[in-house]
Amino acid sequence: MFCMNCGHEIPEDSDFCPNCGKRVEQEDDRERTIVVGDEEDSPSEPEEPLYCTNCGQPLSPGDAFCMNCGTPADSEAFKSPGTSKAPRTHRGHRKVLVIGAAVLGVVCVAGAAGFGLTRLLIPAKVKVISGLKKTVESALDSDASMSRIIGIDDMIKETKEGRSQHSLELSLPTSGLGLDITLLSNQKDQVSLSTFSPKWNSFGIDDIVLYQQDQRFYAGIPDAMDEVIYLDMEEGLDELSDSYLGELLRDYTGEDLADYFSPKEDLDFIEYCSDELMAIYDSMEVKKDGKQKLTIDGKSQNCTQYQVLIPGDCLVDLFEAIVEYSADLSPAVDLALRESGWEDFIRSFEIEDMELTMCLDKKGRLVASEGEIEMYSYDSSTPEIISYDLRLLGGGNPSDQIELDFDVEYGLASGSTTLERNKTYDKDSGLEDTIEIFYGGSTWAEYNFSYDSESGDWELSCEIEGDGIQAEGEISDLKRGKAMTFSLDDLSLIENGQIDESGLIELRYQFGDLEDKIEEPFDVEEAISVSDLDEGDLENMTRELIGSLGGLF
């Protein structure tokens, strides 16, 4: 919700704007009105009566002026009975009361007119942007998501900041390969220990151990190699880049380690693309266009409709900024974009101004939109026209029920795609989620997921043109965000609509609190810095590693 006077965002249950102090407008199904005096959501408990110290007239806590004499409401004008003299009776003030009421009425009418003018000039654009934001936030933070049901965010936070232990058992039955991973983490003391145990048929391969102590990261294979190496992050990567290992990897990859592996500064998308987003906001045109009746969560609702115009050149600038943002996130992404030519591809397009409609429900969320975008490639005068019609009709989360029609025209060629989603969730019974994509009148892709809250059983299938995967397993010992056991009991391929029952992967993962103290897995005092390794050290380590694998062949 936004203030109609200054545009400042305010909590839904606020009566006044914390930024400018203006009273908040209340909205019903038909129109927005100014609420004066007692409001429906005001506290039901009676408040201690106040009196004007100038004339003794009883006053309400929400009064801005005394109705009898017009004295402004400040800290000295309003007093409770215990802090002021007893109220006086003024029978001769009837005329003054009438005049004061008339003045106050004029002020209220003028204020309401001012609010109405502000509402017409400013909020339409604010409401549309806010509606899009609310819909995205409700989709990302929905109770009907496995992330929320399991408590993934709390688990990640505990792993990064607290004490936790993880174990993972992974096997590939058809190939005989397997991998067991154990992670013990105590980030309150900046210590962690990871153990990787590869397997092949009945043979066990020596464990690979990674150990973190403050800013030092150690690595070794205790049963196969005498040497333990470490990387000190406080020393930075420049020293590593100048070492023998850095030169070897630079000759092999063509990349400098200091540039390639340096931790990137956290990039905020909104801040990174702020100029392009503000250009769209400043130049877009938004106007209210009546009401549209939609059936949301099985109930008919009048939604407010807006007409929106977005300049095409601003969209091109935003797409370019998104590509640059992706490239700056990682050198690997940057290399992939340059190799694929995607960056040049984006810059080769011209986009015409985009016209669309957007509908907001009573909660101010985007629930419907339709529009068309026309694009030209630099080497073609034939436009590519993309049109869409979107409906988000879920109750608690609009994106739980989606109806999307998507059409593309290029010259004489055209294609139509339809997407339908239906997601339901009940904390006692569980979750079901189905997505179907139709192309050319037939099913092109299908996704199904179900989770039984009582038994913990889950099933997943995903098919594209008859090929895909099917998986099933169980979630047990669930304490949201604190403990969980997750199992993938079977993962099979689907080919031409038929399921291969052989099974590809079996997996078991456990998460819980760290129970024991993390001990040093080797003598860290004897460890060698990665930047100090030379050619002879690498040859000896390689020889020892190959020797430990000899029993497998």
Side-chain angles (χ1 to χ4, degrees):
M1 186 166 64
F2 291 83
C3 176
M4 298 299 102
N5 181 59
C6 66
H8 187 79
E9 187 169 6
I10 51 182
E12 294 290 345
D13 57 353
S14 296
D15 294 331
F16 294 89
C17 174
N19 185 51
C20 68
K22 292 293 183 180
R23 185 182 293 277
V24 176
E25 295 182 359
Q26 304 296 315
E27 181 168 324
D28 59 21
D29 295 349
R30 297 166 298 171
E31 59 182 0
R32 297 183 64 92
T33 61
I34 303 301
V35 178
V36 180
D38 294 336
E39 299 180 9
E40 293 182 0
D41 58 349
S42 60
S44 58
E45 296 182 2
E47 297 189 14
E48 188 176 19
L50 301 176
Y51 298 90
C52 175
T53 55
N54 183 53
C55 67
Q57 175 73 21
L59 304 168
S60 299
D63 288 346
F65 298 89
C66 174
M67 291 291 292
N68 184 48
C69 65
T71 300
D74 56 28
S75 59
E76 297 300 326
F78 285 5
K79 299 291 184 180
S80 63
T83 59
S84 66
K85 55 187 177 181
R88 296 172 294 171
T89 304
H90 289 260
R91 297 181 180 178
H93 286 299
R94 184 179 301 276
K95 184 176 180 180
V96 176
L97 176 61
V98 172
I99 295 174
V103 172
L104 183 60
V106 172
V107 171
C108 289
V109 171
F115 272 121
L117 181 60
T118 302
R119 177 170 60 86
L120 291 174
L121 294 178
I122 299 177
K125 187 183 295 187
V126 175
K127 289 179 184 176
V128 167
I129 300 299
S130 175
L132 181 59
K133 177 183 176 184
K134 287 180 179 180
T135 299
V136 173
E137 288 177 346
S138 64
L140 297 177
D141 194 30
S142 170
D143 289 335
S145 68
M146 290 306 297
S147 174
R148 176 67 74 88
I149 293 171
I150 294 173
I152 296 295
D153 290 343
D154 292 334
M155 292 169 58
I156 293 174
K157 182 178 180 181
E158 187 65 21
T159 302
K160 290 183 176 180
E161 302 176 5
R163 295 167 50 89
S164 62
Q165 61 183 33
H166 311 250
S167 66
L168 174 69
E169 300 175 11
L170 173 66
S171 63
L172 309 176
T174 57
S175 63
L177 295 175
L179 176 64
D180 292 348
I181 302 175
T182 301
L183 168 61
L184 308 178
S185 178
N186 180 359
Q187 290 309 307
K188 293 182 178 180
D189 295 334
Q190 289 291 294
V191 177
S192 67
L193 174 64
S194 301
T195 305
F196 299 83
S197 305
K199 297 177 181 178
W200 182 44
N201 293 327
S202 58
F203 295 97
I205 304 175
D206 295 323
D207 293 346
I208 302 171
V209 179
L210 305 179
Y211 178 65
Q212 172 231 342
Q213 191 177 72
D214 296 324
Q215 293 298 308
R216 281 195 176 188
F217 294 82
Y218 300 84
I221 307 178
D223 296 332
M225 298 167 48
D226 295 331
E227 293 84 1
V228 175
I229 60 176
Y230 74 87
L231 175 63
D232 194 333
M233 298 302 295
E234 289 185 345
E235 295 179 357
L237 292 172
D238 289 335
E239 185 174 349
L240 176 60
S241 181
D242 295 336
S243 68
Y244 172 76
L245 182 61
E247 293 179 4
L248 187 66
L249 293 178
R250 185 163 51 249
D251 291 341
Y252 180 75
T253 64
E255 298 285 345
D256 191 276
L257 281 176
D259 295 333
Y260 199 85
F261 290 105
S262 292
K264 290 288 183 181
E265 179 182 353
D266 289 338
L267 297 178
D268 181 81
F269 173 78
I270 300 298
E271 182 178 351
Y272 189 95
C273 302
S274 60
D275 291 343
E276 291 76 17
L277 291 171
M278 284 305 301
I280 290 178
Y281 179 81
D282 291 338
S283 58
M284 69 187 296
E285 300 177 9
V286 181
K287 64 179 181 179
K288 190 175 178 179
D289 188 30
K291 298 285 186 177
Q292 181 177 160
K293 184 169 289 188
L294 296 172
T295 302
I296 299 175
D297 197 26
K299 300 177 182 178
S300 180
Q301 184 179 139
N302 283 325
C303 300
T304 306
Q305 182 169 285
Y306 296 88
Q307 295 291 337
V308 182
L309 175 67
I310 303 177
D313 55 348
C314 293
L315 291 174
V316 173
D317 292 341
L318 177 61
F319 292 157
E320 290 183 7
I322 292 173
V323 171
E324 293 172 0
Y325 169 79
S326 302
D328 284 347
L329 282 177
S330 165
V333 174
D334 183 25
L335 178 62
L337 288 171
R338 284 189 277 111
E339 292 293 330
S340 65
W342 179 250
E343 188 172 356
D344 294 334
F345 176 75
I346 287 293
R347 290 198 172 102
S348 70
F349 268 98
E350 292 184 4
I351 301 179
E352 297 294 322
D353 294 350
M354 184 177 183
E355 297 181 1
L356 60 147
T357 62
M358 302 177 73
C359 291
L360 308 184
D361 66 1
K362 293 180 180 180
K363 296 181 180 180
R365 303 172 302 183
L366 175 68
V367 292
S369 178
E370 59 181 296
E372 183 176 280
I373 185 169
E374 187 172 321
M375 302 184 297
Y376 292 85
S377 176
Y378 72 95
D379 60 351
S380 175
S381 60
T382 303
E384 182 173 353
I385 301 174
I386 301 174
S387 58
Y388 73 93
D389 186 354
L390 172 66
R391 298 287 186 270
L392 306 173
L393 306 177
N397 174 18
S399 63
D400 283 349
Q401 293 184 30
I402 301 176
E403 298 175 4
L404 171 62
D405 292 324
F406 189 82
D407 298 321
V408 178
E409 296 181 17
Y410 184 73
L412 298 176
S414 63
S416 298
T417 302
T418 299
L419 182 147
E420 296 179 357
R421 182 191 193 187
N422 186 34
K423 182 178 181 180
T424 59
Y425 171 68
D426 181 89
K427 64 179 181 180
D428 295 324
S429 58
L431 181 149
E432 291 189 5
D433 191 7
T434 299
I435 299 175
E436 289 185 272
I437 301 177
F438 302 91
Y439 181 76
S442 59
T443 302
W444 178 73
E446 186 172 359
Y447 163 87
N448 292 282
F449 178 81
S450 64
Y451 168 68
D452 189 315
S453 298
E454 185 175 353
S455 66
D457 294 338
W458 63 268
E459 293 182 0
L460 167 72
S461 66
C462 182
E463 293 183 51
I464 299 178
E465 295 185 320
D467 296 335
I469 60 171
Q470 176 175 290
E472 60 182 33
E474 181 184 5
I475 297 174
S476 58
D477 305 322
L478 178 61
K479 296 179 181 179
R480 180 174 160 183
K482 298 181 180 297
M484 177 192 67
T485 299
F486 172 88
S487 67
L488 169 61
D489 300 327
D490 178 69
L491 176 65
S492 302
L493 289 177
I494 302 175
E495 296 182 355
N496 297 321
Q498 302 297 317
I499 301 175
D500 181 358
E501 299 289 352
S502 60
L504 296 175
I505 298 176
E506 294 178 2
L507 180 147
R508 180 180 176 85
Y509 168 76
Q510 288 183 296
F511 170 83
D513 293 331
L514 180 65
E515 298 176 353
D516 301 319
K517 180 181 178 181
I518 300 176
E519 303 290 347
E520 292 183 358
F522 27 61
D523 188 356
V524 297
E525 298 297 331
E526 300 295 327
I528 305 172
S529 172
V530 173
S531 59
D532 293 335
L533 292 175
D534 57 25
E535 184 176 2
D537 294 325
L538 291 177
E539 288 179 353
N540 290 334
M541 294 168 62
T542 302
R543 190 179 303 110
E544 291 176 354
L545 180 60
I546 293 176
S548 69
L549 299 175
L552 298 178
F553 305 100

